[in-house]
Amino acid sequence: MPLNRRTFLGRSAVAGAGVALGGGVVGAGPAAASEAKGHGHGHPQKRYSFTVMGTTDLHGNVFNWDYFTDKEFDDSAHNDVGLAKISTLVDQIREDRGRRNTLLIDAGDTIQGTQLSYYYAKIDPITAKRGPVHPMAQAMNKIGYDAAALGNHEFNYGIPVLRKFEEQCDFPLLGANALDAKTLRPAFAPYVIKRVRTPHGRDVRVAVLGLTNPGIAIWDKANVGGKMVFPGLEEQAAKWVPKLRSMGADVVIVSAHSGSSGTSSYGDQLPYIENAAGLVAEQVPGIDAILVGHAHSEIPEYFVTNKKTGKKVVLSEPLKWGQRLTLFDFDLVWEKGRWVVEKVGASVLNSNTVAEDPRITSLLGDEHTKVVAYVNQVIGTSVVAMSTAEAPWKDEPVIDLINLVQAETVKEALAGGEYAELPVLSQAACFSRTASIPAGEVTIKDAAGLYPFENTLEARLLTGAQLKDYLEYSARYYVQTAAGAPVDTSKLTNAEDIPDYNYDVVSGVTYDIDIAKPVGSRIVGLSFEGAPLDPASQFVFAVNNYRASGGGNFPHVPGAKQLWANSDEIRNTIIGWVQAKGSVDPAEFASVDWRLTRDGVPVF
């Protein structure tokens, strides 16, 4: 039974209702059901087993393809990506368990991340009159998803694109804690109840509760501010799980776009935890399993004991981009007139063990071809090759290029205004250690590869003292390494598991980072135009919206005065800059503004 969106959205606006769907589940194969002797009464005990499959953080991956390198995806572990591979795994499980004894769900971040998903949001948008159907909707409909939670990146292109995608999906997008800002009622379906038919009479009622990430309020403020609010996962789960149980749910699964670590990248800017899946399991009784998303980690099976009931809740997070498929295997027993979960376990399957499903690759072959042609458009030339390979520990020209484009864009935007005379500094990070600009022809994919995220540009007002704090915070990224000790670049970075994208370098000032010193006292010789930086001086800071809104929890910037903001992706600004220049020559902009030292001696 397909969901009638108009009816549902009208209803949910009034009543905050969920979606109860039957559909697609009409019987059980012999493999799933059995009868065992009861507890000494001579009556055989009814048992039933079924499997819930899960994906998360697909990020626009349908094909096993990297649009930034324009070749088949590969990494050091030889993982594969994409829904075409997942489809093959799903078919195998349905064949093995009986399709009727399976469900398939997702935990969010679906429509952003590749040039394929970008193309259908921006270049040939799904929101256009008679626009195309989103490739992710086409693929997920064909595979037969039952539900998907909303991820934070679903909001990157604005609510109209998300609503259009929702309309194109044959399954509900769930978000119990995505509320309408005015009515505080769910703006999306909070849950879906699926009926799984057994050979024993009564169906198993499986409730899937969708929860998304509170950080959306910060990261996509421009798109959701005043329209939607995103309260904490724990409080919303505590509200909905008892309701689902009272509605007759035998099994409750949470699909949560939220990691399991209990941490937040935005510090205390929100009272809600970013990675709250483990806390939900611990605090909210009545949950059987949680499909975890958002953290891009692989957790095959992880048990959390609920503090109120003492029962174990199983969590599983399949690796991002369709690299893994989670399987939750449920064993149920009929007790006192209802189905009770006796046992549940989880495991993951690796998508690199199977071929792509030709039904999916042929379905979207035309879209793939269009996007490959788009990313291979030549936009200019480069005098030399530039790479990010050593950017995490050396000031590389390719990162200088990002900072140059950002600083020039901000200067131009502020020209003739109140802040036009202030010097402009700029922050950038190494998003990928494999990005490069080749010597010779430069294409869209080369420029876009420098900036794989959909971040936009802002200008904030900072003092010299605040900038020093900012750089000290960034320098936590390095593992403290004593003077004279050997330096191994494979062990030098990512201290405290800080990702590369949360290590910022700043152009427009010069400084050393003394990695022999403890965190908080590493920035040495911070200078502006050859003189020590005045703590009271004022600067315009060109910064991406993720950082400006608290992503990474860097100090001062989120509370700093906003002087200007732009809605165009920084990636597009870089592409436009290269097109306008025609030629990129690092001799015109590259400079060594920062370096790693130990007791004043350069490390490299």
Side-chain angles (χ1 to χ4, degrees), residues 64-85:
N64 185 39
W65 196 259
D66 184 342
Y67 293 96
F68 292 122
T69 59
D70 197 26
K71 54 184 189 235
E72 193 170 301
F73 177 89
D74 196 22
D75 63 10
S76 58
H78 301 302
N79 287 302
D80 287 345
V81 300
L83 275 170
K85 292 261 179 177

Side-chain angles (χ1 to χ4, degrees), residues 34 59 103 145 192 253 327 346 403-404 417 452 494 512:
S34 66
H59 284 289
L103 294 172
Y145 273 78
V192 63
I253 300 165
L327 306 180
N403 275 326
L404 171 74
N494 308 99
D512 289 348

Side-chain angles (χ1 to χ4, degrees), residues 273-309:
I273 301 291
E274 176 183 352
N275 295 303
L279 296 171
V280 171
E282 191 180 271
Q283 295 174 16
V284 182
I287 296 167
D288 297 300
I290 301 181
L291 178 65
V292 177
H294 183 63
H296 290 198
S297 305
E298 182 177 346
I299 305 172
E301 183 183 60
Y302 173 55
F303 288 97
V304 173
T305 303
N306 185 273
K307 282 187 167 167
K308 291 177 182 155
T309 64

Side-chain angles (χ1 to χ4, degrees), residues 507-589:
S507 72
V509 289
T510 57
Y511 56 97
D512 289 348
I513 301 171
D514 190 330
I515 58 171
K517 289 192 161 71
V519 167
S521 54
R522 290 180 168 177
I523 302 300
V524 181
L526 180 56
S527 305
F528 174 68
E529 293 183 341
L533 188 79
D534 176 1
S537 54
Q538 285 195 311
F539 296 94
V540 174
F541 195 46
V543 60
N544 70 53
N545 68 308
Y546 173 75
R547 194 67 81 234
S549 63
N553 202 24
F554 277 65
H556 306 306
V557 174
K561 183 180 171 70
Q562 187 190 74
L563 309 180
W564 173 83
N566 184 6
S567 62
D568 200 20
E569 288 96 359
I570 293 166
R571 163 163 79 206
N572 276 352
T573 309
I574 296 169
I575 291 166
W577 188 91
V578 174
Q579 278 174 317
K581 282 275 185 196
S583 175
V584 179
D585 184 0
E588 294 175 8
F589 59 80

Side-chain angles (χ1 to χ4, degrees), residues 299-356:
I299 305 172
E301 183 183 60
Y302 173 55
F303 288 97
V304 173
T305 303
N306 185 273
K307 282 187 167 167
K308 291 177 182 155
T309 64
K311 282 189 177 168
K312 283 188 172 172
V313 183
V314 67
L315 282 68
S316 179
E317 181 174 10
L319 201 56
K320 64 185 187 294
W321 307 346
Q323 295 179 43
R324 304 287 184 275
L325 175 70
T326 278
L327 306 180
F328 290 108
D329 289 310
F330 289 88
D331 293 334
L332 274 58
V333 63
W334 183 262
E335 275 179 6
K336 296 177 186 165
R338 55 187 294 259
W339 288 109
V340 176
V341 175
E342 188 176 52
K343 192 168 133 241
V344 55
S347 56
V348 295
L349 299 178
N350 192 330
S351 68
N352 73 5
T353 59
V354 295
E356 292 186 308

Side-chain angles (χ1 to χ4, degrees), residues 180-328:
D180 179 280
K182 292 182 179 65
T183 65
L184 297 185
R185 296 191 181 279
F188 294 84
Y191 64 86
V192 63
I193 294 180
K194 303 293 288 187
R195 298 176 80 102
V196 181
R197 196 147 294 166
T198 75
H200 298 305
R202 214 196 86 178
D203 299 349
V204 178
R205 281 173 276 202
V206 182
V208 181
L209 178 69
L211 294 168
T212 192
N213 206 289
I216 296 164
I218 288 180
W219 305 319
D220 263 308
K221 190 176 175 183
N223 290 325
V224 300
K227 296 172 186 163
M228 291 185 194
V229 293
F230 303 88
L233 285 87
E234 309 97 304
E235 70 167 66
Q236 292 301 303
K239 173 184 165 181
W240 285 102
V241 172
K243 283 187 183 178
L244 296 171
R245 289 290 182 187
S246 70
M247 288 162 67
D250 303 299
V251 177
V252 173
I253 300 165
V254 175
S255 185
H257 193 76
S258 180
S260 63
S261 64
T263 59
S264 294
S265 68
Y266 43 72
D268 56 5
Q269 284 189 82
L270 284 178
Y272 313 118
I273 301 291
E274 176 183 352
N275 295 303
L279 296 171
V280 171
E282 191 180 271
Q283 295 174 16
V284 182
I287 296 167
D288 297 300
I290 301 181
L291 178 65
V292 177
H294 183 63
H296 290 198
S297 305
E298 182 177 346
I299 305 172
E301 183 183 60
Y302 173 55
F303 288 97
V304 173
T305 303
N306 185 273
K307 282 187 167 167
K308 291 177 182 155
T309 64
K311 282 189 177 168
K312 283 188 172 172
V313 183
V314 67
L315 282 68
S316 179
E317 181 174 10
L319 201 56
K320 64 185 187 294
W321 307 346
Q323 295 179 43
R324 304 287 184 275
L325 175 70
T326 278
L327 306 180
F328 290 108

